[in-house]
């Protein structure tokens, strides 16, 4: 449970069977249904395996060329811009200089996004790129303007953050949503836009640069993950 509204918390999972379902004895009808399901799974196994491979996410880093494993990346600041507007903000106000270099890319495929299959991906070939500050290699940026499906979000997080050391890492997420989706007692027509709101974890002890997001507004999809 959150200690205050605006804190990022991990939702509990009810994955698996309830105790009552586990304790229930299997009837002949249950066994027949299970056999039919297994038959269908067997017939579809090849196609399902192909779809699973197609939806795999690959994270390629420039220092891992040729498949060479490296130590986890030492990173102090990791800024992730999710969505076209947030990615455009980074391009206009932060990346518009020679202080950054492309060091990685995420390749994924889903119904809305088909990234390049090339190994050496240029900024024009991908919608999810990693940049490193030349003067301080521990500062990373990520522009993720592509759609990451719900069943790919955990894999995206696992593979991206699996390459980094977690100790001393501060993560900042930038995302946007339409003003019409903002829930407030005021009329959205009178709101001065764009405006900035924040969510934070209890581990973040520094001053927040803007007001916290009010109830009952929430963050969804990859930014929430």
């Amino acid at each position: 449970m959150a200690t205050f509204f605006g804190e990022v918390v991990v939702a509990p999972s009810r994955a698996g069977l309830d105790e009552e379902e586990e304790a229930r004895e299997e009837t002949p009808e249950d066994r027949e249904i299970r056999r039919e399901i297994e038959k269908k799974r067997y017939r579809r196994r090849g196609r399902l395996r192909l779809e699973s491979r197609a939806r795999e996410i690959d994270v390629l880093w420039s220092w891992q060329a040729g498949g060479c494993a490296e130590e986890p990346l030492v990173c102090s600041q990791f800024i992730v811009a999710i969505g076209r507007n947030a990615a455009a903000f980074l391009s206009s106000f932060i990346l518009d200089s020679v202080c950054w270099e492309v060091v990685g890319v995420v390749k994924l495929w889903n119904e809305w996004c088909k990234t390049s299959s090339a190994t050496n991906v240029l900024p024009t070939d991908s919608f999810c790129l990693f940049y490193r500050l030349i003067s301080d290699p521990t500062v990373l940026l990520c522009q993720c303007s592509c759609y990451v499906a719900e069943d790919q979000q955990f894999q995206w997080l696992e593979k991206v953050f699996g390459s980094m050391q977690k100790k001393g890492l501060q993560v900042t997420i930038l995302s946007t949503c339409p003003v019409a989706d903002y829930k407030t007692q005021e009329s959205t027509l009178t709101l001065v836009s764009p405006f900035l709101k924040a969510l934070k974890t209890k581990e973040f002890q520094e001053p927040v640069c803007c007001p916290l997001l009010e109830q009952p507004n929430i963050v969804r999809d990859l930014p929430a993950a």
Side-chain angles (χ1 to χ4, degrees), residues 193-207:
S193 61
F195 56 89
L196 192 64
K197 300 288 182 177
L199 293 172
K200 71 183 187 71
T201 61
K202 60 184 178 181
E203 287 81 11
F204 186 83
Q205 302 297 329
E206 299 179 16

Side-chain angles (χ1 to χ4, degrees), residues 45-62:
R45 188 170 297 165
R47 183 164 63 89
L48 290 175
R49 187 178 295 117
L50 177 62
E51 291 177 357
S52 176
R53 283 201 301 267
R55 296 180 75 87
E56 283 287 325
I57 291 178
D58 293 320
V59 180
L60 304 177
W61 300 98
S62 60

Side-chain angles (χ1 to χ4, degrees), residues 101-185:
E101 60 178 347
V102 178
V103 293
V105 63
V106 174
K107 296 195 306 181
L108 57 87
W109 181 95
N110 56 50
E111 52 271 33
W112 296 105
C113 177
K114 299 177 182 179
T115 59
S116 170
S117 59
T119 302
N120 297 321
V121 182
L122 298 175
T124 55
D125 296 327
S126 176
F127 299 99
C128 191
L129 287 167
F130 298 95
Y131 296 83
R132 180 167 59 186
L133 186 62
I134 297 176
S135 60
D136 185 357
T138 66
V139 178
L140 288 182
L141 297 181
C142 175
Q143 278 185 307
C144 184
S145 58
C146 61
Y147 171 74
V148 181
E150 290 184 359
D151 61 327
Q152 296 177 316
Q153 292 171 8
F154 176 77
Q155 187 183 168
W156 193 97
L157 296 169
E158 186 179 43
K159 292 193 174 183
V160 170
F161 286 97
S163 306
M164 304 178 184
Q165 288 186 359
K166 310 301 186 300
K167 185 177 181 180
L169 174 61
Q170 179 176 307
V171 181
T172 303
I173 309 295
L174 304 176
S175 64
T176 60
C177 70
V179 176
D181 293 343
Y182 180 65
K183 298 175 177 60
T184 177
Q185 294 181 349

